[in-house]
Amino acid sequence: EVQLVESGGGLVQAGGSLRLSCAASGFTFDDYAIGWFRQAPGKEREGVSCISNSDGSTYYADSVKGRFTISSDNAKNTVYLQMNSLKPEDTALYYCVTAPTAGSVLSGFGSWGQGTQVTVSS
């Protein structure tokens, strides 16, 4: 059974940083893509970033380019999202998602974690 457990969310002031973690189990980590979505109240769900563990390729939404960095520790079966220069508009529930391909992840087709809340105060 695929399991994704997010952690690292919290309350931070604008300009601050947080690092989210997604601990994965139940599938061959090296063969899958893992990404992060976020959803704020009243807004559409947004695919934020994704990494393909098979070749290391990455994707970032324009809204986070240059501020967020996704990385993967294959030894720990964990994906990280380092978030710097946070803005109030980054406030959302952040979900970890996995699927065999990055395309599937970014389409939202895959297994989802339970989410971790990020709140950025102005």
Side-chain angles (χ1 to χ4, degrees), residues 17-54:
S17 299
L18 283 174
R19 189 178 79 157
L20 304 184
S21 299
C22 174
S25 62
F27 61 98
T28 305
F29 187 82
D30 293 359
D31 294 342
Y32 274 57
I34 297 183
W36 292 91
F37 275 76
R38 65 186 181 186
Q39 185 151 29
K43 293 188 177 181
E44 288 193 5
R45 188 177 65 185
E46 179 186 18
V48 173
S49 183
C50 182
I51 185 166
S52 293
N53 284 328
S54 57

Side-chain angles (χ1 to χ4, degrees), residues 34-40 43-51 59-65 68 70 81 92-97 102-109 112:
I34 297 183
W36 292 91
F37 275 76
R38 65 186 181 186
Q39 185 151 29
K43 293 188 177 181
E44 288 193 5
R45 188 177 65 185
E46 179 186 18
V48 173
S49 183
C50 182
I51 185 166
Y59 161 86
Y60 297 95
D62 287 343
S63 57
V64 306
K65 273 181 187 174
F68 289 11
I70 193 168
L81 186 68
L93 190 58
Y94 283 70
Y95 296 93
C96 183
V97 184
S104 294
V105 169
L106 294 171
S107 297
F109 296 118
W112 289 66

